[in-house]
């Protein structure tokens, strides 16, 4: 439908959606660049994510705006600097090798479920700093039970009403309380670790982070950010990985070249291009969102306050003037030219760009999800 609207109406598309109000999809990269790099004071992204607050919590970087968002984001950035994220490669490799070693010829796999299992364990080890199998399984059982709950519990406050242990809201709140108890237990355990300063997992680094006033995160803030990292990094990364398998298996030429390049072991530029092309052709979200608090001119159109502006990630990625033969899976397009900042947007942009979309030495954005 988005493609049909773009073909009919052009680079700005007004859409009225029940429950979400009036929104405008923006498909012009120059207008998106202006939106992401200009004055951000009249834009609100946290409002769009406020429906997730019952699960992520009021301190989540996803639901905050303004000064509170900037403070929380600054506290979150240090653990996701390039050198620190590079140290997680061994963790990821170990988890991936053990996962694939469990696969057997002739067995049918639901790839996205296997990728969810893999990404959850990576997050447990790299973000939570939990490696003991029994603790990983406890976290998986309690946290995934909340993540897999119906979205209705976030969208409708009435659905969350705790009318007893047998009511839907009661069962949901029971799952949420059990997950919270385990997260707070892990936070308390980590605060008391004697080797906290030497640890490199994200939770330990966040416990050491301080804002400009020298204040660290409270347990409640840490709980909300841990849940956010799981919610934003678990499903999204698993989906991206599953799509990578799907695209590679449907394009044997690309798969053969990728195998050859990896066997040579000279560099990972083609692997990097495969990741970029996967996220171009199969972005995990179709658009970012900003709510205008004052009128603003975008691509020559005066938009009133209250309108939601959607930088249209999926549509920009399919522009033929940016990506010739845009519907084809051709990682070669990224091998030499790289990705332009405002024509390749899987991680969003501006001050809401995902903290974990880290950069390598060539300035190539790596991976994760849009905050």
């Amino acid at each position: 439908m988005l493609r049909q609207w773009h073909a009919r109406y052009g680079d700005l598309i007004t859409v009225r959606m029940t429950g979400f109000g009036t929104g405008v999809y923006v498909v012009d990269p120059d207008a998106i660049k202006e939106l992401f790099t200009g004055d951000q004071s009249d834009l609100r992204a946290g409002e769009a994510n406020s429906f997730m607050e019952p699960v992520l919590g009021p301190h989540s970087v996803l639901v905050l705006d303004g000064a509170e968002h900037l403070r929380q984001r600054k506290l979150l950035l240090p653990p996701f600097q390039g050198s620190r994220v590079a140290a997680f490669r061994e963790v990821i490799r170990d988890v991936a090798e053990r996962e694939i070693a469990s696969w057997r010829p002739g067995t049918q796999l639901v790839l996205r479920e296997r990728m969810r299992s893999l990404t959850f364990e990576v997050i447990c080890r790299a973000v939570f700093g939990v490696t003991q199998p029994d603790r990983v399984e406890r976290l998986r059982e309690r946290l995934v039970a909340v993540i897999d709950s119906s979205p209705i519990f976030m969208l409708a406050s009435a659905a969350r009403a705790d009318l007893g242990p047998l009511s839907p809201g009661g069962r949901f709140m029971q799952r949420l309380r059990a997950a919270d108890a385990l997260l707070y237990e892990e936070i308390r355990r980590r605060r008391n670790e004697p080797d906290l300063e030497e640890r490199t997992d994200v939770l330990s680094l966040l416990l050491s982070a301080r804002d400009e006033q020298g204040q660290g995160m409270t347990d409640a803030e840490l709980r909300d950010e841990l849940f956010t990292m799981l919610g934003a990094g678990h499903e999204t990364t698993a989906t991206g990985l599953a799509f990578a398998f799907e695209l590679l298996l449907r394009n044997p030429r690309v798969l053969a070249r990728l195998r050859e390049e990896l066997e040579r072991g000279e560099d990972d530029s083609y692997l990097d291009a495969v990741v970029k092309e996967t996220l171009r052709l199969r972005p995990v979200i179709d658009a970012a969102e900003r709510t205008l608090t004052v009128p603003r001119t975008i691509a020559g159109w005066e938009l009133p306050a209250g309108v939601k502006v959607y930088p249209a990630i999926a549509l920009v990625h399919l522009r033929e003037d940016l990506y010739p033969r845009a519907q084809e899976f051709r990682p070669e397009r990224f091998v030499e030219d790289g990705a332009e900042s405002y024509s390749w947007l899987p991680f969003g942009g501006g001050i809401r760009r995902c903290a974990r979309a880290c950069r390598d030495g060539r300035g190539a954005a790596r991976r994760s999800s849009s905050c």
Side-chain angles (χ1 to χ4, degrees):
M1 185 59 70
L2 286 173
R3 291 198 298 270
Q4 292 177 24
W5 287 341
H6 185 214
R8 182 173 181 180
Y9 299 112
D11 286 347
L12 260 71
I13 309 160
T14 299
V15 180
R16 294 174 179 85
M17 293 181 281
T18 302
F20 291 90
T22 299
V24 176
Y25 280 90
V26 182
V27 197
D28 180 346
D30 291 333
I32 292 173
K33 179 179 180 180
E34 183 179 351
L35 192 69
F36 281 157
T37 60
D39 182 13
Q40 307 283 298
S41 62
D42 60 342
L43 304 175
R44 294 288 183 269
E47 288 182 13
N49 298 322
S50 60
F51 69 93
M52 294 188 283
E53 184 176 324
V55 170
L56 301 186
H59 309 292
S60 166
V61 71
L62 279 178
V63 304
L64 295 174
D65 280 308
E68 290 181 324
H69 170 262
L70 288 176
R71 174 189 179 270
Q72 207 72 354
R73 184 176 173 83
K74 287 178 181 178
L75 288 169
L76 286 171
L77 281 176
F80 299 111
Q81 298 299 321
S83 59
R84 293 192 184 278
V85 175
F88 296 150
R89 288 185 177 186
E90 291 300 322
V91 172
I92 295 169
R93 180 181 294 112
D94 178 60
V95 173
E97 287 178 349
R98 285 192 290 108
E99 167 62 34
I100 294 170
S102 70
W103 299 359
R104 295 291 180 267
T107 302
Q108 187 179 64
L109 298 173
V110 180
L111 263 177
R112 188 167 179 276
E113 290 306 308
R114 298 318 314 150
M115 295 303 100
R116 288 184 77 205
S117 176
L118 187 155
T119 57
F120 185 91
E121 185 162 352
V122 168
I123 288 173
C124 273
R125 294 176 60 177
V127 176
F128 296 176
V130 176
T131 58
Q132 295 90 335
D134 59 328
R135 286 169 63 195
V136 170
E137 287 309 309
R138 286 179 69 209
L139 285 165
R140 190 194 309 274
E141 178 184 350
R142 295 194 187 181
L143 298 179
V144 172
V146 174
I147 290 173
D148 285 350
S149 297
S150 170
I152 192 66
F153 292 115
M154 289 190 288
L155 295 170
S157 58
R160 297 192 300 275
D162 189 347
L163 303 178
L166 299 181
S167 67
R171 291 195 297 270
F172 172 74
M173 296 307 297
Q174 186 177 34
R175 291 194 294 269
L176 186 58
R177 287 191 291 267
D180 285 352
L182 196 52
L183 285 177
Y184 282 120
E185 178 185 321
E186 291 295 339
I187 292 168
R188 287 193 297 272
R189 186 197 301 262
R190 191 61 43 77
R191 282 194 188 279
N192 295 324
E193 292 285 358
D195 62 343
L196 178 63
E197 296 299 324
E198 286 75 47
R199 295 179 65 100
T200 58
D201 57 88
V202 173
L203 173 56
S204 297
L205 294 171
L206 290 180
L207 281 165
S208 302
R210 296 292 181 270
D211 62 18
E212 294 173 353
Q213 283 70 47
Q215 299 298 311
M217 286 191 185
T218 65
D219 283 3
E221 288 174 324
L222 287 165
R223 175 269 176 213
D224 291 357
E225 298 304 358
L226 289 177
F227 229 130
T228 298
M229 287 180 228
L230 178 64
H234 172 225
E235 299 277 351
T236 53
T237 307
T239 300
L241 286 168
F243 273 134
F245 276 101
E246 180 254 338
L247 289 166
L248 285 167
L249 292 170
R250 293 182 188 275
N251 293 272
R253 176 193 62 82
V254 176
L255 180 57
R257 177 174 173 181
L258 177 60
R259 282 176 165 157
E260 290 172 6
E261 297 278 351
L262 294 175
E263 285 171 3
R264 267 197 223 107
E266 295 174 359
D267 61 52
D268 62 355
S269 59
Y270 194 69
L271 173 62
D272 191 65
V274 168
V275 172
K276 288 186 174 68
E277 180 71 342
T278 298
L279 293 175
R280 180 193 70 82
L281 200 55
R282 301 282 191 271
V284 176
I285 59 172
D286 71 286
E289 193 273 355
R290 301 290 187 270
T291 299
L292 301 184
T293 59
V294 298
R296 185 166 179 147
T297 301
I298 297 176
W301 292 83
E302 184 74 16
L303 303 183
V307 165
K308 292 177 171 58
V309 179
Y310 301 114
I313 296 169
L315 292 179
V316 170
H317 287 185
L318 294 175
R319 289 185 66 115
E320 286 287 334
D321 58 337
L322 298 175
Y323 301 105
R325 294 151 59 188
Q327 297 283 357
E328 296 181 16
F329 183 60
R330 296 195 303 115
E332 291 79 7
R333 69 176 90 240
F334 289 114
V335 171
E336 293 183 3
D337 296 337
E340 293 294 332
S341 296
Y342 298 97
S343 62
W344 187 78
L345 301 160
F347 307 119
I351 61 173
R352 309 296 299 210
R353 181 179 173 83
C354 184
R356 285 172 296 154
C358 61
R359 295 183 175 272
D360 63 16
R362 298 185 303 278
R366 284 293 184 185
R367 66 196 304 166
S368 190
S369 60
S370 179
C371 298

